[in-house]
Amino acid sequence: MLAPIIGAVLIVALAVVLIGRTSDGLEKLENISEQEHQTGKTLSDIANQLAVTHAYIHDLLASVDAETKEGELYDESKKLLFDIHDIRDKIEADLITAELVPDEHALATNLLGLLESYRINATNALLMATVDAALTRRVMSDATTQFNILNSSLLELSRLIDERLDKNLATQQTAMLAQVGVFAGLFIAVVIAMLLIGVFLARILTRDLRGLAADLEGLLDHYSPDVSTDGKRRLVVDTLRYAVDRVGDSYTSLERTREELARSNTELRESFATLAEREYALEKVNTELAETVARQDDLIQAQVRAEEARDSALQTAERANAAKSDFLSNMSHELRTPLNAIIGFADMIYAASFGPIGSKYQEYARDISLSGHHLLDLVTDILDISRVEAGKLELNWERVDLQEIFDACETMLRNRAADAGIQLEIELPDVVPHLETDEFRIRQILINLIDNALKFSPRDSVIRVSAARHDDGRLTLSVRDSGIGIAEEDIPRILEKFGQVRNSHQHTHGGVGLGLAITKLLVELLDGEMAISSEVGHGTTVSITFPEHRTFFPPGRGASYC
Ligand code: ADP
């Protein structure tokens, strides 16, 4: 399929080139002929004009006789001048400016000199014709000689130019013929090649058909020997037609396949374009991701720096806190010694240990002792808090019988409860557990809580101090009153140092708001947890729960549960 197309394209290309070259050559030939024609015309014009002028002068001179007056031919000589000028212009404009080779150019230029000499002699002859006949004849004879030379020069020039242009013409024609020959050769070669390829293709294409025809004829001969030769031929021809149709079908299907392939190719290109777009978008996302990661790195570094700064600030604060606790601990200790002395001496004065004193002084001594105790309690609380915060509070772990602890607390606070008109009830399970704890501190905790309950409970109310064991082995001690209660939002505050609820009772009961803070710290030191549940106007319950591993039961005695 491809070979005939290439052949056709080659033939067309060759034809185009051949036509182009031929028209070029013809144009050149035309140019040369035109040039030859123009130059020949110019030369013959010049020769004619010169001949006319020369003949006219001759006639004028011949007409001169005795009656011709001097100067009569002056005007004619001026006219001659114009004619000669005209001829000279023609030589200069049409001849010398033409494309001449050096020899021709020299000859053409020489014509001008000859023409001038001719003009001078002819003019002189005209001017002297009435004056000196003999001289006129001689001068005119010179002019005639020059006229002849001019004519033969013009002829020579014409011959040279003709010769040159003829030679050019011949060369151009030969070149053209050669080109036409070459292209014709090529053309014939391509046509022959095409014919050969056509024959070759025809042989290939018809090989199978010819084989098929032979096979069919063989089969028909074998199976239907009776069928006439014409009948066989018809059958073979029909079969071959069928085969050709099938080939046509195959060609159509091939065409369809080719179209599908072209479509697939287009789709493939579109897919490539889409892929390229996606790749570009992906690169963009990657870049953005890298930028985000870089920003996150910056953030992480800033966070690390902030954490370092916070740690260092924390250490500084912890150091400052430890220094403060040290200071408070030392100061409290320094204060307690003289305070104890003051209280001791005040009590001695009050008791009139060294002889009787006036009742007023006795009253003052009691005030000094009470204020001293108050101050001592405060200093003791501050000392305890600073010791706990400085981690310097030493605990004396031992197994403690809760019964004993509860009894001691009751003994200590019984009188105060009685003074306040409040009933103090102790509730312990039948089997009282033992607690692994610091006896002094657990007592301090319970006294603090009972003391608060006494402070904020009304007369004729009951305060219950109880212990109960949970199923999981934990132990809870609680102090419950039915006093003024604490609002829920105030509970976190009263657990802080110096935290108090602002109400009228506060003024009555004094205190500085350290009791619950110390109690909570001590409970936690003893592995316990403190919780406050309260309702304003109905009372407060403070519970302390210790883990199972801190509780024990004396051997041989069962447990009781809350
Ligand atoms: P304070 O020395 O002032 O009693 P606390 O820390 O022991 O210091 O108590 C802080 C505040 O908590 C008290 O001033 C009081 O307002 C409140 N509070 C403590 N216990 C009770 C209670 N049982 N009933 C009502 N209010 C209480």
Side-chain angles (χ1 to χ4, degrees), residues 201-235:
L201 283 174
R203 284 194 73 76
I204 290 176
L205 289 172
T206 56
R207 190 173 53 203
D208 291 345
L209 290 175
R210 275 185 277 117
L212 191 62
D215 289 350
L216 282 170
E217 272 179 18
L219 280 171
L220 285 169
D221 279 344
H222 184 73
Y223 290 107
S224 311
D226 304 337
V227 177
S228 68
T229 312
D230 277 356
K232 279 182 202 163
R233 289 232 171 98
R234 256 199 316 283
L235 268 172

Side-chain angles (χ1 to χ4, degrees), residues 449 452-453 455-456 481 484-486 494 499-501 503 506 510-517 540:
L449 296 178
N452 274 346
K455 279 198 273 183
F456 299 103
D481 65 53
I484 59 167
I486 310 160
I494 59 172
Q500 288 182 319
V501 178
N503 56 31
Q506 207 57 58
V512 290
L514 282 173
L516 281 178
T540 304

Side-chain angles (χ1 to χ4, degrees), residues 346 348-365:
M348 278 168 69
I349 295 168
Y350 179 71
S353 305
F354 299 103
I357 54 167
S359 61
K360 204 73 185 163
Y361 285 120
Q362 203 173 12
E363 199 183 321
Y364 288 155

